[in-house]
Amino acid sequence: MSAPQLAIIVDAEEEFDWSQPFSRDNQSTASIVQQDVLHKLYDDLGIVPTYVVDYPIVVDSQAVAYLGALHHAGRADIGTHPHPWVTPPHAEEVTAINSYMCNLPVDLQRAKIETLHRAIEAAFGIAPTIFKAGRYGFGPETAKIIADLGYKVDCSHVPHSDFGRDGGPDFRGTPEGPFWLDRDKGLLEIPLTSGFFGAVPDLGKSIARVFDSPRAKRWRIPALLSRSGLVTRARLSPEGISAREQCRLIESLYHQGQRVFTLGYHSPSLLPGHTPYVRDQADLAAFVRTVADVLRWFRDDLGGQFTT
């Protein structure tokens, strides 16, 4: 590719308190219609984001009407994003470890993914081919299940990140750019853009475990490494990450040869009060400004293009 490419993937999901235990009672999707806050920007820049939707979305007629209108107008793509705790069949106990799809028995994984897949087909009139596991809970069985259902792209991996503290997958060592998940090259992984920048970005790869270690965090080692200018780990997301940090991350990865980038966030972040990142209208304005600054920098300074 002569120019870097950037895609936007939105986790379109129900609202819930991130500080509380998971619950099947959380079904509200009021934040979906608030996505208009960013769609004027996307329309202006010619961006078609992908909304990966979970089960409470596809059973809410208002959410389906809103996202369906975007899709049929060519302004958005639709993918699949199962949250196990709110996706039937409800055969498992609701716990932190079971919130990762990859920890469930393979038959239950298949049943839940198939349920959501069929519900999306019924609600939107399409067979989705883009998948992103809720809480990044992707495992070897997940890959086979979604390949059998006709999925072509997965977006569940987060390079250099370990979610093992509460039972999640370990993505340390995952490539930062796209790679094939199967020998037949039928299922492509396009991970969330995550990596390192600073004076010694390669240092981050060799000490990646430090950034997710509770003990290292207590000693503030990741923060000290960042403040020293040596190395910072970041994701391409407006959720808690400044525009400057995101641009530095893209630039660092670009100079290492990466040409495909994905920016992600959660749909409830556009309705104040539903994620830690946007608590009021001032936070929302800053959130939108951050997205705009990154996208315009990517286009105007880096010469990048937007893709799906």
Side-chain angles (χ1 to χ4, degrees):
M1 295 179 183
S2 59
Q5 311 285 310
L6 185 147
I8 293 178
I9 301 172
V10 183
D11 296 4
E13 59 192 37
E14 77 283 1
E15 298 99 34
F16 60 95
D17 187 338
W18 290 17
S19 67
Q20 297 300 310
F22 298 101
S23 171
R24 292 198 169 113
D25 295 332
N26 294 319
Q27 297 288 325
S28 172
T29 61
S31 64
I32 292 302
V33 296
Q34 300 301 314
Q35 305 310 301
D36 268 356
V37 172
L38 273 171
H39 257 283
K40 183 181 186 306
L41 172 68
Y42 296 158
D43 290 342
D44 289 345
L45 295 177
I47 294 172
V48 178
T50 294
Y51 288 92
V52 288
V53 302
D54 73 354
Y55 195 76
I57 299 294
V58 298
V59 296
D60 184 298
S61 58
Q62 184 179 24
V64 169
Y66 175 83
L67 293 175
L70 288 177
H71 173 69
H72 293 301
R75 298 170 63 203
D77 286 335
I78 303 294
T80 302
H81 184 58
H83 280 179
W85 61 96
V86 290
T87 304
H90 298 307
E92 83 285 7
E93 182 183 359
V94 178
T95 64
I97 196 166
N98 285 340
S99 69
Y100 294 103
M101 182 71 76
C102 55
N103 291 333
L104 300 178
V106 63
D107 289 345
L108 185 55
Q109 287 189 52
R110 183 177 296 275
K112 286 180 178 287
I113 293 171
E114 287 183 347
T115 294
L116 180 54
H117 182 84
R118 304 306 177 202
I120 292 172
E121 287 183 319
F124 294 100
I126 60 168
T129 59
I130 304 163
F131 186 90
K132 183 178 182 180
R135 303 203 72 209
Y136 314 108
F138 189 93
E141 298 88 356
T142 323
K144 184 178 188 311
I145 291 167
I146 65 174
D148 289 346
L149 287 170
Y151 285 87
K152 301 299 182 185
V153 175
D154 176 71
C155 305
S156 305
H157 289 54
V158 188
H160 312 301
S161 299
D162 180 8
F163 298 95
R165 61 190 178 275
D166 62 350
D170 184 353
F171 293 118
R172 288 175 299 173
T174 293
E176 292 152 333
F179 60 94
W180 295 106
L181 287 165
D182 60 340
R183 291 183 179 179
D184 295 333
K185 298 183 178 180
L187 184 61
L188 182 67
E189 178 61 39
I190 303 182
L192 173 65
T193 295
S194 177
F196 302 98
F197 66 84
V200 195
D202 284 346
L203 173 64
K205 298 176 184 180
S206 62
I207 60 169
R209 62 170 49 87
V210 167
F211 294 88
D212 291 308
S213 164
R215 179 177 297 180
K217 289 180 179 179
R218 282 197 300 272
W219 286 93
R220 301 182 61 79
I221 292 175
L224 290 171
L225 287 169
S226 181
R227 283 203 298 271
S228 72
L230 283 175
V231 62
T232 297
R233 187 182 70 174
R235 296 177 187 170
L236 189 51
S237 173
E239 294 179 331
I241 303 167
S242 70
R244 179 175 180 273
E245 290 174 310
Q246 292 178 72
C247 293
R248 288 193 66 189
L249 171 64
I250 293 172
E251 191 170 38
S252 176
L253 294 175
Y254 177 81
H255 287 306
Q256 295 173 54
Q258 187 163 326
R259 292 296 181 269
V260 177
F261 303 88
T262 62
L263 182 150
Y265 58 89
H266 300 80
S267 59
S269 282
L270 294 187
L271 184 61
H274 288 290
T275 71
Y277 310 108
V278 179
R279 288 302 185 188
D280 53 32
Q281 289 296 326
D283 285 347
L284 178 59
F287 188 95
V288 171
R289 188 164 55 249
T290 295
V291 175
D293 288 349
V294 171
L295 296 180
R296 291 195 172 107
W297 174 88
F298 182 82
R299 183 193 64 181
D300 299 338
D301 291 60
L302 199 64
Q305 301 172 348
F306 302 114
T307 188
T308 59

